[in-house]
């Protein structure tokens, strides 16, 4: 079974509106971390935001926030006030366990297109 | 700081040829990783190095070898390239702090085509 599932292959949003990108995960570990990365058309992977399994509050970084629902095993990325430069592929990833250099598992990504 | 650098940016090989992808980081990170990204898909871990002197297999290690040359450098070698290895290869590094908070930072990628 996939450990990270991103069910939206593609999403469209109007400029200045908010958009939610879905991510569900599967793990039996109590300690884990969830990450979101942005990959623009230029190809580089840009770290956006992190949420730890023990964090009580949802993570926020500028216009990015992570809607973490532990019981539902979901970690959705919310982008507020979308900009044209937000058009990119977005990946959700998970790192399990309390060990150094643990392996990260990535979802297949969601392509976001921001319309002017 | 350059962060994570990779060479080359692009490479075309013929089936059976060998090559080495180079990766270096200047963030004094302990852990380094090699991923591949196939079209329309997420990243899959090939090999990783938790610390200088150690390497371990990831999800898709077959057909690859790695060398952690020193703390800064981690190379990926294809001994006999196959068309199935056509992909974009990303190197990443992280501090390797204990626990799951260890964020990975990525290089710009190498686009490899095997004919």
């Amino acid at each position: 079974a996939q450990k990270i599932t991103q069910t939206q292959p593609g999403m469209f949003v109007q400029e200045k509106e908010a958009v939610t990108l879905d991510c569900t995960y599967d793990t039996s570990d109590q300690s884990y971390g969830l990450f979101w990365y942005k990959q623009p058309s230029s190809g580089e992977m840009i770290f956006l935001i992190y949420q730890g399994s023990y964090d009580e509050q949802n993570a926020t970084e500028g216009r990015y926030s992570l809607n973490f629902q532990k019981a539902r095993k979901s970690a959705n990325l919310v982008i507020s006030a979308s900009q044209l430069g937000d058009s990119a592929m977005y990946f959700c990833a998970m790192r399990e366990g309390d060990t150094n250099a643990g392996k990260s598992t990535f979802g297949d990504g969601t392509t976001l297109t921001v319309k002017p | 700081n350059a962060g994570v650098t990779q060479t080359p940016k692009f490479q075309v090989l013929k089936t059976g040829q060998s090559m080495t992808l180079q990766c270096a980081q200047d963030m004094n990170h302990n852990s380094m990783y090699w991923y591949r990204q196939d079209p329309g898909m997420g990243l899959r871990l090939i090999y990783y190095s938790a610390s200088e002197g150690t390497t371990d297999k990831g999800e898709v290690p077959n057909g690859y070898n790695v060398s952690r040359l020193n703390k800064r450098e981690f190379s990926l070698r294809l001994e006999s390239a196959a068309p199935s290895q056509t992909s974009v290869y990303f190197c990443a590094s992280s501090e390797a702090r204990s626990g799951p908070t260890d964020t990975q930072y990525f290089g710009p990628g190498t686009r490899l085509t095997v004919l």
Side-chain angles (χ1 to χ4, degrees):
Chain A
Q2 270 196 311
K3 289 195 169 184
I4 295 285
T5 303
Q6 295 181 254
T7 57
Q8 306 152 314
M11 289 281 287
F12 292 89
V13 65
Q14 208 66 37
E15 194 178 9
K16 299 181 186 176
E17 292 185 350
V19 63
T20 297
L21 306 184
D22 294 341
C23 173
T24 58
Y25 60 91
D26 183 27
T27 181
S28 56
D29 281 3
Q30 296 301 308
S31 177
Y32 54 89
L34 296 153
F35 303 80
W36 277 92
Y37 288 87
K38 173 183 178 182
Q39 186 176 44
S41 57
S42 51
E44 70 268 33
M45 294 286 287
I46 303 167
F47 166 70
L48 295 178
I49 196 167
Y50 163 81
Q51 178 85 41
S53 59
Y54 293 122
D55 294 342
E56 294 186 354
Q57 292 195 333
N58 287 343
T60 60
E61 289 286 348
R63 293 187 297 112
Y64 303 108
S65 61
L66 204 152
N67 184 1
F68 181 47
Q69 297 186 45
K70 195 170 181 177
R72 297 180 61 185
K73 294 189 175 178
S74 75
N76 298 339
L77 177 70
V78 181
I79 306 174
S80 63
S82 296
Q83 301 171 357
L84 296 177
D86 293 334
S87 293
M89 194 141 183
Y90 289 81
F91 291 97
C92 180
M94 177 174 65
R95 179 192 173 97
E96 294 172 284
D98 199 13
T99 57
N100 287 342
K103 303 171 189 177
S104 290
T105 305
F106 284 76
D108 287 339
T110 295
T111 301
L112 177 66
T113 303
V114 180
K115 295 182 174 181
Chain B
N1 285 354
V4 181
T5 57
Q6 293 182 234
T7 54
K9 286 188 167 50
F10 301 93
Q11 184 71 48
V12 178
L13 293 177
K14 294 181 180 178
T15 296
Q17 287 185 318
S18 62
M19 79 161 295
T20 300
L21 281 65
Q22 306 287 353
C23 173
Q25 52 90 11
D26 63 0
M27 296 178 281
N28 201 33
H29 284 172
N30 290 307
S31 298
M32 298 185 73
Y33 313 80
W34 277 106
Y35 291 90
R36 61 177 286 174
Q37 183 182 27
D38 298 325
M41 296 180 67
L43 278 67
R44 290 184 293 170
L45 185 65
I46 304 171
Y47 271 93
Y48 69 101
S49 171
S51 60
E52 189 178 351
T54 69
T55 60
D56 282 288
K57 294 179 181 179
E59 183 185 354
V60 288
N62 290 346
Y64 305 95
N65 285 302
V66 291
S67 295
R68 183 74 183 265
L69 305 169
N70 49 54
K71 190 172 184 179
R72 289 188 63 246
E73 298 172 289
F74 189 38
S75 63
L76 178 72
R77 183 161 178 83
L78 287 69
E79 290 291 351
S80 178
S84 60
Q85 294 178 304
T86 294
S87 190
V88 179
Y89 291 83
F90 287 98
C91 177
S93 70
S94 68
E95 285 184 60
R97 287 177 284 156
S98 184
T101 65
D102 194 37
T103 302
Q104 295 178 8
Y105 295 91
F106 286 81
T110 294
R111 190 173 297 272
L112 175 67
T113 301
V114 183
L115 302 175

